[in-house]
Amino acid sequence: MAQNGAIGPLVRLLQPGDPMVQASAAGALWNLAANEQNKFAIAQSGAIQPLVAMLYSDVREAQLSAAGALQNLCVNPSNKKTVAAAGGIEALMMLLSDKDRHVKAKAAGALQSLAVDEDNQKKIKSLGAIPLITKLLSSRTPEVQSNAAGALHNLAVNDEEAQEAVASAGAIPPLIALMQNASPDLQAKAAATIWSIAGREENRRQIMELGGIAPLIRMVQSNHTDCQAKASGAIRCLTMSAFTRPEFEKGGVIGHLVALLSSGNQEITINAAGALENLGCR
């Protein structure tokens, strides 16, 4: 479709007019934006500003198609900045409180991608997004939960202030619940977010006291590679504090970590070895 010159005419249909025509055009661009080359071409054709404007539409189909298209477009590094400059962060944050779970999922997914950019991280945090995103962890929709966890992860990585904000917003209990009860993919996403906020010692204490150690030990025994990788990373970080080590040892984690040394997966091996090094510290 893109090779046949569809992008330009579709972008023109995004202009104010019939909202259902806009929704159909945005839906087509949403699908086209799954392709990496198309992401750039769609942005270069001027789609981002009208897509952001459509987020304020009163028509649910228009909002959803625009949010979905932006979620795909935001994967491209240059598009992240263009979306932010067009006011996309503010518009997407508004949709985090939308009644429609599909709209919320796409908005959170777009913010998850936008938060990879350092300037966007600062803006998202300064606008007070962390409590809004944290609320989505308790959604009944896995896509909403997954995108919310991913957004919090990207906001908190290597930022102790954001790590404190995520914990203060009440994210730790729902993240632990996801590690216990969700699908393996979502368990891994939750463990990655626990890992990202465990750089702060007070958060490590909260994760331990709220019951986060047992699900992490179960996850390193999983056959799911991403569960093993993210849980072992979280354990490596948590065992930096001496007060967590006896709990992990009582849970029998050392034998499971030793087994992971032979996993053949670099991330898992590094995390397991690092956790064992921490557990050997006295």
Side-chain angles (χ1 to χ4, degrees), residues 99-114:
K99 293 179 181 179
D100 188 290
R101 59 195 172 97
H102 301 292
V103 170
K104 284 194 285 195
K106 301 310 175 190
L111 288 168
Q112 175 182 206
S113 292
L114 287 169

Side-chain angles (χ1 to χ4, degrees), residues 123-151:
K123 187 169 187 178
I124 292 168
K125 288 181 285 193
S126 70
L127 290 171
I130 286 176
L132 294 174
I133 297 169
T134 298
K135 288 181 182 178
L136 300 183
L137 295 173
S138 300
S139 167
R140 295 182 180 180
T141 303
E143 184 184 6
V144 174
Q145 295 172 311
S146 177
N147 290 343

Side-chain angles (χ1 to χ4, degrees), residues 91-218:
L92 291 163
M93 280 180 57
M94 172 195 70
L95 294 182
L96 295 179
S97 301
D98 196 87
K99 293 179 181 179
D100 188 290
R101 59 195 172 97
H102 301 292
V103 170
K104 284 194 285 195
K106 301 310 175 190
L111 288 168
Q112 175 182 206
S113 292
L114 287 169
V116 173
D117 178 87
E118 186 175 351
D119 290 334
N120 289 347
Q121 286 175 3
K122 293 176 183 176
K123 187 169 187 178
I124 292 168
K125 288 181 285 193
S126 70
L127 290 171
I130 286 176
L132 294 174
I133 297 169
T134 298
K135 288 181 182 178
L136 300 183
L137 295 173
S138 300
S139 167
R140 295 182 180 180
T141 303
E143 184 184 6
V144 174
Q145 295 172 311
S146 177
N147 290 343
L152 292 174
H153 170 275
N154 291 343
L155 291 168
V157 167
N158 300 321
D159 184 337
E160 190 166 337
E161 184 178 323
Q163 292 167 22
E164 180 179 5
V166 171
S168 296
I172 293 175
L175 287 169
I176 292 173
L178 289 175
M179 292 195 299
Q180 292 171 320
N181 302 316
S183 67
D185 286 340
L186 190 42
Q187 286 181 40
K189 204 79 173 280
T193 308
I194 287 288
W195 182 3
S196 74
I197 66 172
R200 183 171 177 268
E201 184 165 48
E202 179 55 33
N203 288 359
R204 294 197 285 271
R205 187 177 298 279
Q206 285 190 49
I207 292 164
M208 180 187 72
E209 292 177 349
L210 291 169
I213 287 178
L216 288 169
I217 294 173
R218 284 195 294 272

Side-chain angles (χ1 to χ4, degrees), residues 50-87:
L51 285 170
V52 170
M54 284 175 63
L55 298 177
Y56 292 98
S57 173
D58 294 329
V59 178
R60 176 242 180 219
E61 291 83 358
Q63 286 184 315
L64 177 60
S65 295
L70 288 169
Q71 180 180 8
N72 282 350
L73 289 169
C74 286
V75 174
N76 178 280
S78 64
N79 290 350
K80 296 181 199 301
K81 294 186 180 298
T82 307
V83 170

Side-chain angles (χ1 to χ4, degrees), residues 6-43:
I7 290 176
L10 286 168
V11 172
R12 287 193 287 275
L13 291 174
L14 299 177
Q15 299 305 317
D18 186 331
M20 295 311 296
V21 171
Q22 290 180 302
S24 295
L29 291 169
W30 178 0
N31 289 332
L32 287 170
N35 175 278
E36 191 58 42
Q37 289 182 327
N38 290 346
K39 287 177 173 60
F40 180 76
I42 291 168

